[in-house]
Amino acid sequence: MRVTVHYFAVLREYSGQCEQSIEVADGLNVGALYRDLFPAYGALPVMFAVNQEYVDKAHTLKDGDEVAFIPPLGGG
């Protein structure tokens, strides 16, 4: 199945793009997709959104979903 992934902040810099369409295995959850794409950022407290709604990491993806990984933003 295919999903579109949107990247923000440091994850955009790490991936080198703001979004991409990727093929993923059926039954994959959003947390596993994040770990697969960003193994070096596994400890980063990221928020997950699917189809513009916040979800937990166990949310199972479906074909055509839009996924967003939203890392914490710093400020001062």
Side-chain angles (χ1 to χ4, degrees):
M1 73 178 169
R2 186 163 286 281
V3 298
T4 300
V5 181
H6 300 274
Y7 305 107
F8 297 95
V10 68
L11 300 178
R12 179 181 287 179
E13 294 172 22
Y14 181 80
S15 70
Q17 51 197 341
C18 59
E19 75 175 54
Q20 77 179 120
S21 178
I22 59 173
E23 194 74 26
V24 299
D26 288 342
L28 189 71
N29 67 50
V30 70
L33 176 60
Y34 176 75
R35 285 191 311 274
D36 290 348
L37 293 173
F38 297 104
Y41 287 92
L44 190 67
V46 174
M47 294 174 59
F48 305 108
V50 176
N51 300 325
Q52 300 182 3
E53 292 188 26
Y54 289 112
V55 298
D56 66 24
K57 65 183 178 182
H59 180 87
T60 301
L61 297 170
K62 297 179 181 82
D63 188 46
D65 278 349
E66 287 194 5
V67 178
F69 298 124
I70 307 163
L73 300 175

